[in-house]
Amino acid sequence: MERQRSIFTIFLGFVLLGLYRSAMARFVVEKNSLTVTSPDSIKGNHDSAIGNFGIPSYGGSMAGTVVYPKENRKGCKSFDDFGISFKSKSGALPTFLLVDRGGKGDLVILGGIFLLVFSNLVVSFAPFEVNWLFWRLIGGLRGALPLILIKVAIFRPFQGMLMIFEVWNAQNAGASAVLVADDIEEALITMDSPEEGRSSAEYIENITIPSALIEKGFGENLKKAISGGDMVNVNLDWREAVPHPDDRVEFELWTNTNDECGTKCDMLKEFVKDFKGAAQLLEKGGYTQFTPHYITWYCPQVFTLSKQCKSQCINHGRYCAPDPDQDFSSGYEGRDVVLENLRQLCVFRVANETKKPWVWWDYVTDFQVRCPMKEKRYNKECADNVIKSLGNVLPLHFML
Ligand SMILES: *[C@@H]1O[C@H](CO)[C@@H](O)[C@H](O)[C@H]1NC(C)=O
Ligand SMILES: *[C@@H]1O[C@H](CO)[C@@H](O)[C@H](O)[C@H]1NC(C)=O
C-alpha cells in the first residue's frame, strides 16, 4: 500500500512536471466571445474557450458562416482525402468550420475499467496452477491499470493535441476559423494543453487561424440549424483573449543618425519622417510608450590608439560608429555620428523627463532636413539651431 502510494505520488509528479514543462497551447474561456447573428432562432452570445495560438497577437474579431462537414466530422484526417475544401469564394464570408472534439478519453476509460474488472476476475477465479508468467502478467496489468486510468482521466480536459490537429486539418482545407464542439456536457474551463513530443509545437507555430472550443449543447444547436438549411452566421471576438494589461503598447526604435550610408539610411530617414505624425499622436494619447536606441560599436582595446579608432570613436574607443564616407582623413567621421546620436539620446531623455517624449520626433526630423551631411551642416552648430527652434518646449538650453 505504502509503496503504491509513493509510486502514485511520483507518477503525479511526472504528470505535473509534464504539464508545467510543455504547456504551450492554452484555451482561455471568454465570456460572450461568440455571437450568433443569424438565424434568429439561435441568436445570442455564448462563451467559448479561445486557443492562444493562431490568433493575431492584437485584438480583433471575425465574422463568418458556420459549416459542418458531412464527412471527417472530427477533422482527424486531412480533408483532402475526402475531396472537401472550405475556401470561401471571393466576396463570401469566411468559413468557420465546426468539428466535433476528437475525444477518445471516455472510450479509453471504459475499456480500462473493463480490463481492470476482467483481470481481477481472472485472478480471483484462476487456479493456482495457472502458468506463473501469465499470473505475473495479470498482476502487472492490475497494478498498471489504475495508473493508466488516472492518466487518461487527468488528461481528459487536456486534449489540446488532438484539437491542434483538428485545427491544422481545417486550416489546410481553407477554413478561416474553427469551432470545436465539445463531446461531453461540461463547463468550459481555461486549460493548458501539454504537447507531448515536439511535433505538435511545429504545428502550433504554423497555425494562423483562430480556434475556439464551444459547449456540447451549443454545438448541437448549431448543427441542428445547419442541417435545417439555415445559414448560420457567427462573430468570434478574441479581443479579450489577447493580454493588454495597461492598454498601452511599448515599442523600441533602433536608429542611427548617419545620413550617408546609401539606401539603408535613406529608408530609415523616410520611415522616421513618415511615422512621425502617427507616433506623436499615439504617444500624446498615451497609447504608446517608445524608446529610441542608437546602434553603437566599440573598438577592440589593442586598436584604441589607431587612427581608425580615434576617428570613429569617442571615450577611448568605447562608443564608435562607422565612418560615413569610409575615408578617415576627410569628410565626416564616425565620431561625429556618435556625438549626434548622443545628442539625440539626450534630447529624448529630457523630453521624456519633461513628459513630452514626442518632441524627440520633432528634433530628429528637423535635424534631418536642416543638417544633412551633403550640405556640410551635420554639426553641433546646426543641432543647436534646431534645439533653439524647438523654442521653449523643452529645457534644453544647457545643451547649447
Ligand atoms: C511550418 O512552417 C515552416 C516554415 O514555413 C516549415 O518549414 C515547416 O515544415 C512547417 N511545419 C509543418 C508541420 O508543416
Ligand atoms: C520615460 O518616462 C517614463 C515615465 O515618465 C518612464 O517609465 C520610462 O522608463 C522613461 N523611458 C526612458 C527610456 O527613460
Side-chain angles (χ1 to χ4, degrees), residues 132-286:
W132 180 79
L133 188 66
F134 178 74
W135 206 89
R136 293 290 302 190
L137 215 70
I138 295 291
L141 198 64
R142 283 175 65 211
L145 266 176
L147 293 187
I148 294 172
L149 286 184
I150 288 164
K151 182 168 162 80
V152 171
I154 287 178
F155 276 84
R156 175 66 191 81
F158 301 119
Q159 283 168 347
M161 181 120 179
L162 276 171
M163 277 176 62
I164 280 150
F165 287 112
E166 296 184 52
V167 177
W168 177 245
N169 286 331
Q171 172 175 316
N172 287 337
S176 303
V178 184
L179 302 179
V180 181
D182 209 347
D183 58 340
I184 55 168
E185 298 282 359
E186 63 182 343
L188 296 173
I189 54 162
T190 289
M191 59 192 179
D192 284 317
S193 44
E195 306 314 325
E196 292 172 282
R198 261 167 254 132
S199 60
S200 63
E202 256 176 60
Y203 290 92
I204 290 186
E205 274 170 26
N206 293 11
I207 287 176
T208 54
I209 60 173
S211 50
L213 179 68
I214 58 174
E215 281 172 5
K216 186 179 182 196
F218 176 45
E220 304 281 313
N221 288 345
L222 288 177
K223 289 174 204 168
K224 240 179 270 164
I226 294 168
S227 65
D230 279 323
M231 177 163 177
V232 178
N233 287 334
V234 296
N235 189 51
L236 180 66
D237 187 335
W238 62 82
R239 271 174 298 187
E240 292 301 318
V242 179
H244 48 89
D246 55 5
D247 285 329
R248 189 185 66 195
V249 171
E250 283 82 29
F251 76 94
E252 298 177 38
L253 179 71
W254 286 82
T255 180
N256 187 4
T257 59
N258 183 353
D259 76 350
E260 285 212 323
C261 67
T263 335
K264 264 194 212 148
C265 288
D266 293 343
M267 279 170 64
L268 188 59
K269 276 192 282 188
E270 278 302 302
F271 171 77
V272 170
K273 202 172 76 198
D274 290 348
F275 193 47
K276 173 186 164 189
Q280 289 188 319
L281 279 178
L282 291 169
E283 201 74 17
K284 285 180 190 172

Side-chain angles (χ1 to χ4, degrees), residues 97-393:
L97 184 64
L98 176 62
V99 289
D100 295 317
R101 188 171 179 186
K104 293 193 190 71
D106 302 328
L107 273 184
V108 177
I109 291 179
L110 278 180
I113 291 173
F114 174 76
L115 268 177
L116 193 63
V117 172
F118 178 73
S119 59
N120 271 319
L121 283 177
V122 170
V123 171
S124 15
F125 290 111
F128 276 116
E129 317 67 86
V130 171
N131 186 313
W132 180 79
L133 188 66
F134 178 74
W135 206 89
R136 293 290 302 190
L137 215 70
I138 295 291
L141 198 64
R142 283 175 65 211
L145 266 176
L147 293 187
I148 294 172
L149 286 184
I150 288 164
K151 182 168 162 80
V152 171
I154 287 178
F155 276 84
R156 175 66 191 81
F158 301 119
Q159 283 168 347
M161 181 120 179
L162 276 171
M163 277 176 62
I164 280 150
F165 287 112
E166 296 184 52
V167 177
W168 177 245
N169 286 331
Q171 172 175 316
N172 287 337
S176 303
V178 184
L179 302 179
V180 181
D182 209 347
D183 58 340
I184 55 168
E185 298 282 359
E186 63 182 343
L188 296 173
I189 54 162
T190 289
M191 59 192 179
D192 284 317
S193 44
E195 306 314 325
E196 292 172 282
R198 261 167 254 132
S199 60
S200 63
E202 256 176 60
Y203 290 92
I204 290 186
E205 274 170 26
N206 293 11
I207 287 176
T208 54
I209 60 173
S211 50
L213 179 68
I214 58 174
E215 281 172 5
K216 186 179 182 196
F218 176 45
E220 304 281 313
N221 288 345
L222 288 177
K223 289 174 204 168
K224 240 179 270 164
I226 294 168
S227 65
D230 279 323
M231 177 163 177
V232 178
N233 287 334
V234 296
N235 189 51
L236 180 66
D237 187 335
W238 62 82
R239 271 174 298 187
E240 292 301 318
V242 179
H244 48 89
D246 55 5
D247 285 329
R248 189 185 66 195
V249 171
E250 283 82 29
F251 76 94
E252 298 177 38
L253 179 71
W254 286 82
T255 180
N256 187 4
T257 59
N258 183 353
D259 76 350
E260 285 212 323
C261 67
T263 335
K264 264 194 212 148
C265 288
D266 293 343
M267 279 170 64
L268 188 59
K269 276 192 282 188
E270 278 302 302
F271 171 77
V272 170
K273 202 172 76 198
D274 290 348
F275 193 47
K276 173 186 164 189
Q280 289 188 319
L281 279 178
L282 291 169
E283 201 74 17
K284 285 180 190 172
Y287 304 110
T288 57
Q289 183 183 69
F290 89 106
T291 313
H293 296 278
Y294 291 83
I295 300 158
T296 179
W297 289 261
Y298 74 93
C299 189
Q301 200 162 8
V302 284
F303 298 118
T304 44
L305 293 177
S306 70
K307 194 177 164 197
Q308 284 87 334
C309 274
K310 284 194 166 150
S311 108
Q312 298 190 95
C313 310
I314 61 167
N315 211 353
H316 309 294
R318 181 67 191 84
Y319 303 104
C320 314
D323 194 291
D325 48 16
Q326 320 269 305
D327 181 345
F328 299 120
S329 49
S330 74
Y332 286 104
E333 300 180 330
R335 55 180 294 135
D336 298 320
V337 175
V338 181
L339 287 171
E340 180 53 30
N341 288 352
L342 193 60
R343 212 172 279 128
Q344 299 198 354
L345 270 179
C346 190
V347 168
F348 177 75
R349 183 193 283 180
V350 176
N352 196 44
E353 279 170 4
T354 323
K355 306 273 179 253
K356 290 176 190 155
W358 53 87
V359 176
W360 178 87
W361 294 89
D362 290 323
Y363 174 82
V364 169
T365 45
D366 274 12
F367 183 84
Q368 275 173 8
V369 172
R370 294 165 59 166
C371 314
M373 287 181 179
K374 267 204 303 294
E375 293 169 23
K376 304 255 179 298
R377 293 160 60 150
Y378 185 97
N379 54 39
K380 178 169 189 303
E381 193 192 348
C382 189
D384 288 349
N385 284 330
V386 175
I387 288 172
K388 270 185 214 145
S389 74
L390 291 176
N392 298 328
V393 193

